[in-house]
Amino acid sequence: MTSHNDTRITTWLATGHFTPSSILARLDTAITNSNAITSTELPVLTHLFSTLPNNTLTASSFRSLLQTKLNLALPLSTTQTIFNHLAYLSTLPFPSSTNPPPPSLTLPALKRALTWSLPGRDKQIIEMSNHSRMRTASDHRRLLFQSLADVHDTDHHSRIAAQKTAHRTAHQVEHAMYLDLCQTNHDDDGDEIFHDVLDVLYSVQEEHDPCVSGVLRDDFRAVAREIGGGLPELRKMGIPRARFECVVELVLALQFALGEGEDEPGERFGEAARAVCAAFFGGGKEVVVDWLGFEKAWTLAPFLFDGLHGLLARVFLGTGGPGISGFLDPPRVEEGLLDLGRASQLATFLAGSVDLGEIKRVWTQTPGEKRPVGDVLGETAEEAVLVVSGVDGSGTEVVFGVFTPHPRMDRDSIQTDQVPNVGGLERCCIFQLAPRQDVFRGVVGRPGWRTAGGEITFGRETGVALAFKEDGQVAELTHRVVESEDSEDSEDSQATSYAYEPNMTRGDWRLELRVSAMEVWKGPGV
Protein backbone atom coordinates (compact mmCIF):
# COMPACT_ATOMS: atom_id res chain seq x y z
CA MET A 1 0.00 0.00 0.00
CA THR A 2 1.41 3.38 -1.04
CA SER A 3 1.71 5.90 1.78
CA HIS A 4 0.89 9.59 1.51
CA ASN A 5 4.61 10.37 1.84
CA ASP A 6 5.48 8.00 -1.01
CA THR A 7 2.89 9.72 -3.20
CA ARG A 8 4.33 13.14 -2.47
CA ILE A 9 7.87 11.95 -3.18
CA THR A 10 6.76 10.37 -6.47
CA THR A 11 5.09 13.63 -7.49
CA TRP A 12 8.17 15.64 -6.58
CA LEU A 13 10.37 13.29 -8.60
CA ALA A 14 8.17 13.70 -11.65
CA THR A 15 8.34 17.50 -11.44
CA GLY A 16 12.14 17.74 -11.12
CA HIS A 17 11.98 18.57 -7.44
CA PHE A 18 15.10 16.49 -6.67
CA THR A 19 17.56 17.73 -9.25
CA PRO A 20 20.68 19.21 -7.60
CA SER A 21 19.91 22.67 -9.01
CA SER A 22 16.37 22.57 -7.61
CA ILE A 23 17.61 21.45 -4.19
CA LEU A 24 20.31 24.15 -4.10
CA ALA A 25 17.70 26.76 -5.08
CA ARG A 26 15.52 25.75 -2.13
CA LEU A 27 18.60 25.75 0.12
CA ASP A 28 19.31 29.32 -1.02
CA THR A 29 15.74 30.26 -0.16
CA ALA A 30 16.08 28.67 3.27
CA ILE A 31 19.26 30.70 3.91
CA THR A 32 17.52 33.90 2.79
CA ASN A 33 14.55 33.23 5.08
CA SER A 34 16.73 32.34 8.08
CA ASN A 35 19.24 34.06 10.32
CA ALA A 36 22.20 32.19 8.82
CA ILE A 37 23.32 35.54 7.39
CA THR A 38 21.90 38.17 9.74
CA SER A 39 20.04 41.33 8.75
CA THR A 40 23.06 43.44 9.69
CA GLU A 41 25.52 41.22 7.81
CA LEU A 42 23.58 40.87 4.56
CA PRO A 43 23.93 44.54 3.46
CA VAL A 44 27.68 44.35 4.05
CA LEU A 45 27.98 41.18 1.96
CA THR A 46 25.68 42.52 -0.78
CA HIS A 47 27.60 45.80 -1.07
CA LEU A 48 30.91 43.95 -1.20
CA PHE A 49 29.69 41.83 -4.10
CA SER A 50 28.55 44.92 -6.00
CA THR A 51 32.19 46.06 -6.05
CA LEU A 52 33.56 42.81 -7.48
CA PRO A 53 34.21 42.32 -11.20
CA ASN A 54 31.20 40.57 -12.79
CA ASN A 55 29.64 40.35 -9.31
CA THR A 56 31.53 37.12 -8.63
CA LEU A 57 34.25 36.13 -6.21
CA THR A 58 37.42 34.50 -7.53
CA ALA A 59 40.65 33.52 -5.81
CA SER A 60 42.24 36.66 -7.23
CA SER A 61 39.53 39.03 -6.02
CA PHE A 62 39.50 37.26 -2.65
CA ARG A 63 43.24 37.93 -2.31
CA SER A 64 42.63 41.60 -3.11
CA LEU A 65 39.92 41.78 -0.45
CA LEU A 66 42.30 40.39 2.17
CA GLN A 67 44.83 43.08 1.28
CA THR A 68 42.40 46.00 1.23
CA LYS A 69 40.20 45.05 4.19
CA LEU A 70 42.62 43.30 6.57
CA ASN A 71 46.02 44.40 5.28
CA LEU A 72 46.98 40.75 4.74
CA ALA A 73 49.30 39.87 1.89
CA LEU A 74 49.05 36.10 1.69
CA PRO A 75 50.92 33.73 -0.61
CA LEU A 76 48.94 32.74 -3.69
CA SER A 77 48.85 29.09 -2.62
CA THR A 78 47.37 29.95 0.79
CA THR A 79 44.76 32.26 -0.72
CA GLN A 80 43.80 29.57 -3.24
CA THR A 81 43.41 26.96 -0.49
CA ILE A 82 41.06 29.17 1.53
CA PHE A 83 39.10 30.07 -1.59
CA ASN A 84 38.83 26.37 -2.47
CA HIS A 85 37.51 25.78 1.08
CA LEU A 86 34.65 28.17 0.31
CA ALA A 87 34.15 26.90 -3.22
CA TYR A 88 33.87 23.29 -2.02
CA LEU A 89 31.35 24.18 0.69
CA SER A 90 29.25 26.11 -1.84
CA THR A 91 28.51 22.80 -3.63
CA LEU A 92 27.11 21.01 -0.57
CA PRO A 93 25.31 18.70 -0.24
CA PHE A 94 26.57 17.55 -3.66
CA PRO A 95 30.38 17.63 -3.59
CA SER A 96 31.98 15.99 -6.60
CA SER A 97 34.36 13.07 -6.32
CA THR A 98 36.05 13.97 -9.62
CA ASN A 99 35.52 17.63 -10.52
CA PRO A 100 37.50 20.49 -8.92
CA PRO A 101 35.68 23.21 -6.94
CA PRO A 102 34.08 25.97 -9.04
CA PRO A 103 36.54 28.74 -10.04
CA SER A 104 34.17 31.56 -9.05
CA LEU A 105 31.31 32.11 -6.62
CA THR A 106 28.06 34.01 -7.02
CA LEU A 107 26.48 35.75 -4.05
CA PRO A 108 24.08 32.83 -3.31
CA ALA A 109 26.98 30.38 -3.59
CA LEU A 110 29.10 32.36 -1.11
CA LYS A 111 26.16 32.59 1.28
CA ARG A 112 25.92 28.80 1.17
CA ALA A 113 29.65 28.48 1.77
CA LEU A 114 29.63 30.82 4.78
CA THR A 115 26.59 29.06 6.23
CA TRP A 116 28.47 25.76 6.21
CA SER A 117 31.85 27.25 7.17
CA LEU A 118 31.03 29.45 10.16
CA PRO A 119 30.19 27.48 13.34
CA GLY A 120 26.53 27.19 14.23
CA ARG A 121 25.15 28.79 11.06
CA ASP A 122 23.93 25.50 9.59
CA LYS A 123 21.57 25.10 12.54
CA GLN A 124 19.57 27.96 11.03
CA ILE A 125 18.73 25.94 7.91
CA ILE A 126 18.92 22.26 8.95
CA GLU A 127 15.88 21.23 10.92
CA MET A 128 16.74 19.08 13.92
CA SER A 129 13.90 17.22 15.60
CA ASN A 130 12.76 13.75 16.55
CA HIS A 131 11.91 13.27 12.85
CA SER A 132 15.49 14.00 11.73
CA ARG A 133 18.85 14.06 13.55
CA MET A 134 20.88 16.45 15.65
CA ARG A 135 23.93 17.79 13.82
CA THR A 136 26.95 17.99 16.11
CA ALA A 137 30.24 19.88 16.27
CA SER A 138 31.84 16.87 14.61
CA ASP A 139 29.72 17.51 11.50
CA HIS A 140 31.20 21.01 11.27
CA ARG A 141 34.75 19.71 11.72
CA ARG A 142 34.14 17.10 9.04
CA LEU A 143 33.05 19.69 6.48
CA LEU A 144 36.23 21.62 7.20
CA PHE A 145 38.23 18.42 6.67
CA GLN A 146 36.42 17.63 3.41
CA SER A 147 37.02 21.12 2.04
CA LEU A 148 40.80 20.72 2.48
CA ALA A 149 41.04 17.08 1.38
CA ASP A 150 41.60 15.26 -1.89
CA VAL A 151 39.74 12.13 -3.00
CA HIS A 152 41.99 9.08 -3.42
CA ASP A 153 41.49 5.71 -5.08
CA THR A 154 42.01 3.63 -1.93
CA ASP A 155 40.38 3.52 1.48
CA HIS A 156 42.35 5.08 4.33
CA HIS A 157 40.55 3.05 6.99
CA SER A 158 37.96 0.30 7.27
CA ARG A 159 34.20 0.78 7.04
CA ILE A 160 33.82 -0.72 10.52
CA ALA A 161 36.22 1.84 12.01
CA ALA A 162 34.40 4.62 10.16
CA GLN A 163 30.99 3.53 11.42
CA LYS A 164 32.31 3.20 14.97
CA THR A 165 33.65 6.76 14.91
CA ALA A 166 30.46 8.11 13.33
CA HIS A 167 28.30 6.52 16.02
CA ARG A 168 30.44 8.05 18.77
CA THR A 169 30.66 11.55 17.33
CA ALA A 170 26.96 11.63 16.41
CA HIS A 171 26.15 11.40 20.12
CA GLN A 172 28.65 14.00 21.35
CA VAL A 173 26.30 16.84 22.25
CA GLU A 174 26.54 19.66 24.78
CA HIS A 175 23.57 18.55 26.87
CA ALA A 176 22.13 15.13 27.64
CA MET A 177 18.67 16.49 26.82
CA TYR A 178 19.63 16.36 23.11
CA LEU A 179 20.60 12.69 23.07
CA ASP A 180 17.08 11.66 22.04
CA LEU A 181 17.61 13.65 18.82
CA CYS A 182 20.89 11.93 17.98
CA GLN A 183 21.37 9.10 15.52
CA THR A 184 24.33 7.82 13.60
CA ASN A 185 25.08 9.27 10.18
CA HIS A 186 26.96 6.31 8.73
CA ASP A 187 25.02 3.12 8.03
CA ASP A 188 24.40 0.58 5.26
CA ASP A 189 22.84 3.24 3.03
CA GLY A 190 25.86 5.52 3.08
CA ASP A 191 28.43 7.47 5.03
CA GLU A 192 28.34 10.96 6.54
CA ILE A 193 28.43 12.67 3.12
CA PHE A 194 25.34 10.69 2.08
CA HIS A 195 23.59 11.66 5.32
CA ASP A 196 24.29 15.34 4.62
CA VAL A 197 22.06 14.89 1.56
CA LEU A 198 19.34 13.40 3.77
CA ASP A 199 19.61 16.31 6.22
CA VAL A 200 19.16 18.83 3.42
CA LEU A 201 16.35 16.93 1.63
CA TYR A 202 14.36 16.76 4.85
CA SER A 203 14.97 20.40 5.76
CA VAL A 204 14.18 22.01 2.39
CA GLN A 205 11.15 19.92 1.36
CA GLU A 206 8.34 21.94 -0.09
CA GLU A 207 5.94 23.57 2.30
CA HIS A 208 2.98 21.40 3.00
CA ASP A 209 -0.45 21.70 4.52
CA PRO A 210 0.14 22.60 8.19
CA CYS A 211 -2.53 20.07 9.08
CA VAL A 212 -0.44 17.28 7.52
CA SER A 213 2.94 16.23 8.85
CA GLY A 214 5.97 16.60 6.60
CA VAL A 215 7.84 13.77 4.93
CA LEU A 216 10.12 12.07 7.42
CA ARG A 217 13.89 12.18 6.94
CA ASP A 218 14.15 8.41 6.54
CA ASP A 219 11.54 8.49 3.78
CA PHE A 220 14.03 10.36 1.59
CA ARG A 221 16.62 7.55 1.70
CA ALA A 222 15.71 6.04 -1.67
CA VAL A 223 15.86 9.46 -3.32
CA ALA A 224 19.19 10.24 -1.64
CA ARG A 225 20.66 6.98 -2.94
CA GLU A 226 19.49 7.80 -6.45
CA ILE A 227 20.79 11.37 -6.63
CA GLY A 228 23.88 10.75 -4.51
CA GLY A 229 25.52 8.17 -6.72
CA GLY A 230 28.46 10.44 -7.58
CA LEU A 231 29.29 11.50 -4.06
CA PRO A 232 32.82 10.86 -2.78
CA GLU A 233 33.41 8.42 0.07
CA LEU A 234 34.71 10.00 3.24
CA ARG A 235 37.15 7.17 3.95
CA LYS A 236 38.85 7.77 0.59
CA MET A 237 39.59 11.40 1.45
CA GLY A 238 42.80 12.81 2.92
CA ILE A 239 44.51 16.18 3.40
CA PRO A 240 48.06 16.45 1.97
CA ARG A 241 50.61 17.37 4.60
CA ALA A 242 52.11 20.30 2.68
CA ARG A 243 48.67 21.89 2.14
CA PHE A 244 47.67 21.45 5.77
CA GLU A 245 50.94 22.90 7.07
CA CYS A 246 50.48 25.95 4.85
CA VAL A 247 46.99 26.57 6.22
CA VAL A 248 48.05 25.92 9.83
CA GLU A 249 50.80 28.56 9.57
CA LEU A 250 48.12 31.08 8.66
CA VAL A 251 45.52 30.11 11.27
CA LEU A 252 48.13 30.11 14.04
CA ALA A 253 49.04 33.68 13.13
CA LEU A 254 45.36 34.58 12.98
CA GLN A 255 44.93 33.59 16.62
CA PHE A 256 46.25 37.06 17.40
CA ALA A 257 45.37 40.58 16.27
CA LEU A 258 48.79 41.48 14.90
CA GLY A 259 49.33 45.17 14.34
CA GLU A 260 49.90 46.90 11.03
CA GLY A 261 53.36 46.45 9.63
CA GLU A 262 53.75 43.03 11.21
CA ASP A 263 55.47 40.26 9.31
CA GLU A 264 53.45 38.30 6.80
CA PRO A 265 51.22 35.85 8.73
CA GLY A 266 52.93 32.51 8.95
CA GLU A 267 56.44 33.97 8.69
CA ARG A 268 57.14 33.48 12.40
CA PHE A 269 54.87 30.48 12.86
CA GLY A 270 56.53 27.82 10.70
CA GLU A 271 58.06 25.84 13.58
CA ALA A 272 54.79 25.97 15.51
CA ALA A 273 52.86 24.83 12.43
CA ARG A 274 55.16 21.83 11.96
CA ALA A 275 54.61 20.84 15.61
CA VAL A 276 50.82 21.06 15.24
CA CYS A 277 50.91 19.11 11.98
CA ALA A 278 52.95 16.39 13.67
CA ALA A 279 49.99 15.86 16.00
CA PHE A 280 47.65 15.37 13.03
CA PHE A 281 50.04 13.26 10.96
CA GLY A 282 51.24 11.03 13.79
CA GLY A 283 54.70 12.56 14.03
CA GLY A 284 55.97 10.30 11.25
CA LYS A 285 56.41 10.61 7.52
CA GLU A 286 52.73 10.27 6.61
CA VAL A 287 51.85 12.42 3.61
CA VAL A 288 48.08 12.62 4.20
CA VAL A 289 45.78 12.67 7.22
CA ASP A 290 42.43 10.90 6.87
CA TRP A 291 39.18 11.77 8.62
CA LEU A 292 39.69 9.47 11.60
CA GLY A 293 43.18 10.85 12.22
CA PHE A 294 41.93 14.41 11.84
CA GLU A 295 39.09 13.86 14.29
CA LYS A 296 41.36 12.28 16.91
CA ALA A 297 43.96 15.04 16.69
CA TRP A 298 41.34 17.78 16.86
CA THR A 299 41.08 17.34 20.64
CA LEU A 300 44.70 18.53 20.88
CA ALA A 301 43.90 21.85 19.16
CA PRO A 302 40.14 22.50 19.39
CA PHE A 303 40.45 26.26 18.68
CA LEU A 304 42.89 25.86 15.80
CA PHE A 305 40.62 27.24 13.06
CA ASP A 306 38.90 30.00 15.04
CA GLY A 307 41.22 32.50 13.36
CA LEU A 308 40.02 31.37 9.92
CA HIS A 309 36.39 31.80 10.97
CA GLY A 310 37.23 35.29 12.21
CA LEU A 311 38.98 36.09 8.95
CA LEU A 312 35.97 35.09 6.84
CA ALA A 313 33.48 36.88 9.11
CA ARG A 314 35.46 40.11 9.01
CA VAL A 315 36.12 40.12 5.28
CA PHE A 316 32.63 39.22 4.10
CA LEU A 317 30.25 40.13 6.94
CA GLY A 318 31.98 42.97 8.77
CA THR A 319 31.73 41.16 12.09
CA GLY A 320 34.15 39.56 14.51
CA GLY A 321 34.91 35.88 14.55
CA PRO A 322 32.35 33.43 15.98
CA GLY A 323 34.96 31.45 17.93
CA ILE A 324 36.49 32.10 21.30
CA SER A 325 39.99 32.73 20.06
CA GLY A 326 39.55 34.72 16.85
CA PHE A 327 41.90 37.73 16.85
CA LEU A 328 43.06 37.64 20.47
CA ASP A 329 45.44 40.24 21.80
CA PRO A 330 48.91 38.70 21.61
CA PRO A 331 50.82 38.11 24.86
CA ARG A 332 53.49 40.58 25.85
CA VAL A 333 56.32 38.26 24.94
CA GLU A 334 59.92 39.01 25.77
CA GLU A 335 63.12 37.13 25.19
CA GLY A 336 62.45 33.64 26.43
CA LEU A 337 60.46 30.49 25.78
CA LEU A 338 56.99 31.85 25.06
CA ASP A 339 57.40 33.54 21.70
CA LEU A 340 54.39 34.27 19.45
CA GLY A 341 54.63 30.90 17.71
CA ARG A 342 54.45 28.91 20.93
CA ALA A 343 51.83 31.25 22.35
CA SER A 344 49.72 30.57 19.26
CA GLN A 345 50.01 26.85 20.01
CA LEU A 346 48.78 27.45 23.55
CA ALA A 347 45.83 29.37 22.11
CA THR A 348 44.74 26.30 20.13
CA PHE A 349 43.74 24.56 23.36
CA LEU A 350 43.77 27.23 26.10
CA ALA A 351 41.89 30.07 24.38
CA GLY A 352 38.76 29.34 26.42
CA SER A 353 40.65 29.27 29.72
CA VAL A 354 43.41 31.88 29.55
CA ASP A 355 43.45 35.48 28.36
CA LEU A 356 46.79 35.25 26.59
CA GLY A 357 46.85 39.01 26.08
CA GLU A 358 46.89 39.53 29.84
CA ILE A 359 49.20 36.82 31.16
CA LYS A 360 52.67 37.82 32.26
CA ARG A 361 55.86 35.98 33.11
CA VAL A 362 56.35 35.93 36.88
CA TRP A 363 59.24 33.52 37.29
CA THR A 364 62.24 32.33 35.33
CA GLN A 365 64.55 29.60 36.50
CA THR A 366 68.05 30.91 37.05
CA PRO A 367 71.30 28.91 37.35
CA GLY A 368 71.48 27.25 40.73
CA GLU A 369 67.79 27.95 41.44
CA LYS A 370 66.70 25.97 44.50
CA ARG A 371 63.08 27.06 44.67
CA PRO A 372 60.70 24.21 43.71
CA VAL A 373 58.49 25.12 40.78
CA GLY A 374 55.53 23.67 42.68
CA ASP A 375 55.87 26.47 45.23
CA VAL A 376 55.75 29.05 42.42
CA LEU A 377 52.61 27.48 40.94
CA GLY A 378 50.87 27.32 44.29
CA GLU A 379 51.27 30.99 45.16
CA THR A 380 48.09 32.08 43.44
CA ALA A 381 44.54 30.93 42.87
CA GLU A 382 44.66 32.27 39.29
CA GLU A 383 45.50 30.17 36.24
CA ALA A 384 49.17 29.42 35.71
CA VAL A 385 51.20 28.10 32.78
CA LEU A 386 54.56 26.39 33.29
CA VAL A 387 56.71 26.26 30.13
CA VAL A 388 59.91 24.20 30.04
CA SER A 389 62.56 23.62 27.41
CA GLY A 390 64.98 20.72 27.59
CA VAL A 391 67.36 18.77 25.41
CA ASP A 392 67.21 15.00 25.07
CA GLY A 393 70.11 12.60 24.55
CA SER A 394 70.10 13.17 20.79
CA GLY A 395 70.31 16.94 21.13
CA THR A 396 66.66 17.53 20.14
CA GLU A 397 64.88 20.39 21.88
CA VAL A 398 61.68 19.36 23.62
CA VAL A 399 59.26 22.07 24.83
CA PHE A 400 56.58 21.02 27.28
CA GLY A 401 54.77 22.26 30.35
CA VAL A 402 51.77 22.25 32.66
CA PHE A 403 48.58 24.29 32.70
CA THR A 404 46.65 24.60 35.95
CA PRO A 405 43.51 26.78 36.11
CA HIS A 406 43.26 26.37 39.90
CA PRO A 407 46.81 25.90 41.27
CA ARG A 408 45.90 25.82 44.95
CA MET A 409 43.19 23.21 44.40
CA ASP A 410 44.58 21.26 41.43
CA ARG A 411 47.63 20.21 43.42
CA ASP A 412 45.64 17.91 45.70
CA SER A 413 42.66 17.25 43.43
CA ILE A 414 42.34 18.17 39.75
CA GLN A 415 39.22 20.29 39.34
CA THR A 416 36.50 19.73 36.75
CA ASP A 417 36.33 21.74 33.53
CA GLN A 418 32.55 21.30 33.33
CA VAL A 419 30.88 24.57 34.33
CA PRO A 420 27.19 25.23 33.54
CA ASN A 421 26.69 27.55 30.54
CA VAL A 422 30.45 27.92 30.01
CA GLY A 423 32.20 26.11 27.17
CA GLY A 424 35.76 25.70 25.98
CA LEU A 425 37.38 25.37 29.39
CA GLU A 426 40.51 23.26 29.87
CA ARG A 427 41.30 21.41 33.06
CA CYS A 428 44.75 20.86 34.54
CA CYS A 429 46.96 19.21 31.92
CA ILE A 430 50.49 18.38 30.87
CA PHE A 431 51.22 19.58 27.35
CA GLN A 432 53.94 19.32 24.73
CA LEU A 433 54.70 22.04 22.16
CA ALA A 434 57.83 20.73 20.39
CA PRO A 435 58.85 18.82 18.40
CA ARG A 436 55.13 17.91 18.24
CA GLN A 437 52.05 19.23 19.98
CA ASP A 438 50.12 17.07 22.43
CA VAL A 439 47.81 17.57 25.40
CA PHE A 440 47.55 15.10 28.28
CA ARG A 441 44.50 16.05 30.31
CA GLY A 442 44.24 15.46 34.03
CA VAL A 443 41.69 13.10 35.53
CA VAL A 444 39.25 14.95 37.77
CA GLY A 445 39.77 14.14 41.44
CA ARG A 446 43.33 12.82 41.05
CA PRO A 447 46.26 14.72 42.61
CA GLY A 448 47.77 17.18 40.13
CA TRP A 449 51.27 16.99 41.58
CA ARG A 450 53.20 16.04 44.66
CA THR A 451 56.54 16.95 46.18
CA ALA A 452 58.94 14.65 48.02
CA GLY A 453 62.60 15.08 48.87
CA GLY A 454 62.84 18.34 46.96
CA GLU A 455 61.48 16.77 43.78
CA ILE A 456 58.12 17.51 42.16
CA THR A 457 56.14 15.02 40.12
CA PHE A 458 53.04 15.61 38.02
CA GLY A 459 51.19 12.33 37.43
CA ARG A 460 51.58 8.65 38.28
CA GLU A 461 53.45 5.61 37.05
CA THR A 462 50.78 4.95 34.42
CA GLY A 463 49.54 7.52 31.94
CA VAL A 464 51.70 10.62 31.59
CA ALA A 465 54.07 11.85 34.29
CA LEU A 466 56.47 14.77 34.46
CA ALA A 467 59.11 14.73 37.19
CA PHE A 468 61.74 17.38 37.99
CA LYS A 469 64.95 16.21 39.65
CA GLU A 470 68.29 17.62 40.71
CA ASP A 471 66.78 20.95 41.77
CA GLY A 472 64.91 21.22 38.48
CA GLN A 473 67.96 20.74 36.28
CA VAL A 474 66.70 17.39 34.96
CA ALA A 475 63.16 16.55 33.79
CA GLU A 476 61.77 13.10 33.10
CA LEU A 477 58.71 12.81 30.88
CA THR A 478 57.12 9.37 30.71
CA HIS A 479 54.16 8.11 28.68
CA ARG A 480 52.72 4.71 29.53
CA VAL A 481 49.51 3.26 28.12
CA VAL A 482 47.70 0.54 30.04
CA GLU A 483 46.21 -1.51 27.22
CA SER A 484 43.41 -3.01 29.28
CA GLU A 485 42.24 0.51 30.09
CA ASP A 486 42.11 1.79 26.53
CA SER A 487 38.63 3.24 26.81
CA GLU A 488 38.59 5.35 23.65
CA ASP A 489 34.82 5.14 23.40
CA SER A 490 34.24 5.68 27.10
CA GLU A 491 33.74 9.04 28.77
CA ASP A 492 34.52 7.59 32.20
CA SER A 493 38.17 8.48 32.74
CA GLN A 494 37.66 7.89 36.47
CA ALA A 495 37.77 4.17 35.71
CA THR A 496 41.47 4.42 34.81
CA SER A 497 44.51 4.55 37.06
CA TYR A 498 45.85 7.60 35.25
CA ALA A 499 46.33 11.04 36.75
CA TYR A 500 47.06 12.45 33.28
CA GLU A 501 45.59 10.67 30.27
CA PRO A 502 48.04 9.42 27.61
CA ASN A 503 47.65 9.73 23.86
CA MET A 504 46.56 6.21 22.94
CA THR A 505 48.22 6.44 19.53
CA ARG A 506 51.74 7.10 20.88
CA GLY A 507 52.50 3.92 22.84
CA ASP A 508 55.04 3.79 25.67
CA TRP A 509 58.08 6.06 25.79
CA ARG A 510 60.36 7.92 28.19
CA LEU A 511 62.42 11.09 27.80
CA GLU A 512 65.13 12.32 30.12
CA LEU A 513 65.89 15.96 29.45
CA ARG A 514 68.53 18.40 30.59
CA VAL A 515 66.47 21.50 31.40
CA SER A 516 67.72 24.61 29.62
CA ALA A 517 64.96 27.06 30.55
CA MET A 518 61.83 27.18 32.70
CA GLU A 519 59.20 29.90 33.02
CA VAL A 520 55.91 30.41 34.85
CA TRP A 521 53.24 32.68 33.37
CA LYS A 522 50.18 33.75 35.32
CA GLY A 523 46.90 35.52 34.76
CA PRO A 524 46.03 39.15 35.57
CA GLY A 525 44.81 38.30 39.06
CA VAL A 526 48.33 37.75 40.44
Side-chain angles (χ1 to χ4, degrees):
M1 182 176 179
T2 302
S3 69
H4 180 58
N5 284 349
D6 290 339
T7 301
R8 280 193 283 181
I9 290 175
T10 299
T11 301
W12 289 337
L13 276 170
T15 57
H17 187 80
F18 294 124
T19 63
S21 59
S22 177
I23 293 168
L24 289 178
R26 292 199 304 281
L27 185 60
D28 291 338
T29 300
I31 292 173
T32 298
N33 294 336
S34 74
N35 209 36
I37 307 295
T38 69
S39 59
T40 57
E41 295 168 342
L42 183 58
V44 176
L45 183 59
T46 303
H47 173 72
L48 182 148
F49 251 77
S50 70
T51 67
L52 297 178
N54 302 316
N55 292 328
T56 59
L57 181 73
T58 63
S60 177
S61 58
F62 177 52
R63 189 166 188 258
S64 297
L65 286 173
L66 293 176
Q67 290 177 314
T68 57
K69 300 196 71 170
L70 295 182
N71 195 30
L72 289 178
L74 300 184
L76 286 171
S77 59
T78 304
T79 308
Q80 187 68 57
T81 298
I82 300 175
F83 177 82
N84 287 347
H85 159 75
L86 293 170
Y88 176 91
L89 294 180
S90 73
T91 67
L92 298 184
F94 301 109
S96 173
S97 59
T98 55
N99 297 326
S104 62
L105 298 178
T106 62
L107 178 57
L110 181 60
K111 288 167 66 176
R112 289 196 300 272
L114 293 174
T115 299
W116 293 117
S117 179
L118 299 179
R121 304 277 179 140
D122 63 334
K123 295 182 184 296
Q124 299 292 325
I125 58 169
I126 301 299
E127 185 175 337
M128 289 171 275
S129 67
N130 57 346
H131 296 305
S132 57
R133 61 174 289 268
M134 169 71 70
R135 289 182 70 88
T136 69
S138 179
D139 287 303
H140 182 261
R141 293 192 292 270
R142 174 176 51 79
L143 297 184
L144 171 64
F145 166 83
Q146 291 173 209
S147 71
L148 298 176
D150 294 330
V151 181
H152 302 115
D153 294 332
T154 58
D155 298 335
H156 291 291
H157 47 263
S158 70
R159 185 179 300 277
I160 292 176
Q163 290 180 337
K164 183 178 179 182
T165 296
H167 178 79
R168 184 179 71 251
T169 58
H171 291 80
Q172 291 175 341
V173 289
E174 294 180 0
H175 303 288
M177 61 184 290
Y178 296 133
L179 286 174
D180 288 344
L181 306 181
C182 296
Q183 59 177 288
T184 187
N185 55 340
H186 190 154
D187 51 29
D188 292 341
D189 279 331
D191 66 8
E192 293 91 330
I193 298 176
F194 167 83
H195 279 264
D196 285 342
V197 177
L198 273 182
D199 288 342
V200 171
L201 289 178
Y202 172 75
S203 299
V204 302
Q205 60 181 290
E206 284 188 353
E207 292 185 5
H208 49 269
D209 187 334
C211 298
V212 180
S213 62
V215 177
L216 302 182
R217 179 179 181 272
D218 283 345
D219 289 340
F220 287 108
R221 284 179 177 266
V223 174
R225 287 194 299 269
E226 180 176 337
I227 64 178
L231 297 175
E233 289 187 70
L234 184 58
R235 62 198 181 107
K236 293 184 184 294
M237 302 183 76
I239 304 176
R241 188 171 193 140
R243 180 186 302 159
F244 192 64
E245 188 171 308
C246 179
V247 174
V248 170
E249 282 191 10
L250 172 64
V251 296
L252 286 177
L254 290 178
Q255 298 278 13
F256 301 125
L258 302 179
E260 291 188 11
E262 295 284 354
D263 295 338
E264 190 173 285
E267 202 165 287
R268 291 169 292 163
F269 297 85
E271 182 180 343
R274 287 187 288 275
V276 172
C277 287
F280 281 83
F281 289 81
K285 301 298 183 182
E286 292 85 351
V287 294
V288 298
V289 60
D290 65 9
W291 164 237
L292 298 193
F294 186 90
E295 178 72 352
K296 286 181 180 178
W298 187 268
T299 62
L300 310 179
F303 302 114
L304 179 60
F305 280 88
D306 276 13
L308 175 61
H309 302 146
L311 174 76
L312 297 177
R314 290 196 177 200
V315 169
F316 294 115
L317 306 177
T319 59
I324 292 175
S325 64
F327 298 101
L328 292 167
D329 290 330
R332 296 184 291 273
V333 297
E334 306 167 18
E335 291 296 326
L337 287 177
L338 199 57
D339 59 15
L340 277 179
R342 288 169 182 158
S344 72
Q345 288 180 255
L346 290 180
T348 65
F349 60 94
L350 293 183
S353 301
V354 178
D355 185 345
L356 290 170
E358 293 295 328
I359 65 171
K360 60 183 179 179
R361 187 170 57 193
V362 297
W363 179 77
T364 301
Q365 184 188 52
T366 56
E369 178 76 53
K370 299 290 185 180
R371 189 182 182 197
V373 67
D375 292 348
V376 181
L377 292 177
E379 287 177 350
T380 177
E382 301 295 330
E383 66 271 7
V385 182
L386 167 67
V387 186
V388 186
S389 175
V391 178
D392 66 13
S394 67
T396 300
E397 182 186 27
V398 181
V399 181
F400 53 97
V402 174
F403 166 66
T404 168
H406 311 286
R408 293 176 183 170
M409 295 185 288
D410 283 335
R411 171 176 177 164
D412 297 324
S413 177
I414 294 173
Q415 302 298 296
T416 182
D417 55 353
Q418 301 300 308
V419 177
N421 302 316
V422 179
L425 297 179
E426 190 67 70
R427 60 183 181 271
C428 185
C429 63
I430 298 173
F431 60 81
Q432 183 179 356
L433 299 181
R436 65 175 287 171
Q437 181 163 313
D438 214 331
V439 181
F440 312 106
R441 293 177 171 88
V443 176
V444 175
R446 299 286 161 77
W449 63 89
R450 64 184 186 278
T451 56
E455 297 182 353
I456 179 171
T457 301
F458 299 82
R460 297 180 170 184
E461 292 182 357
T462 57
V464 178
L466 171 61
F468 292 97
K469 305 176 180 179
E470 300 180 20
D471 295 324
Q473 303 304 305
V474 174
E476 183 180 73
L477 186 61
T478 59
H479 184 280
R480 183 186 174 196
V481 176
V482 179
E483 295 294 340
S484 62
E485 296 182 4
D486 185 348
S487 53
E488 181 181 339
D489 296 324
S490 172
E491 298 294 331
D492 187 13
S493 58
Q494 293 285 0
T496 74
S497 62
Y498 306 138
Y500 292 91
E501 299 168 342
N503 183 332
M504 294 297 183
T505 67
R506 295 186 65 180
D508 294 349
W509 46 270
R510 173 183 173 274
L511 288 174
E512 185 170 290
L513 308 164
R514 177 61 58 176
V515 174
S516 53
M518 190 184 309
E519 301 173 354
V520 173
W521 293 68
K522 292 188 178 181
V526 299

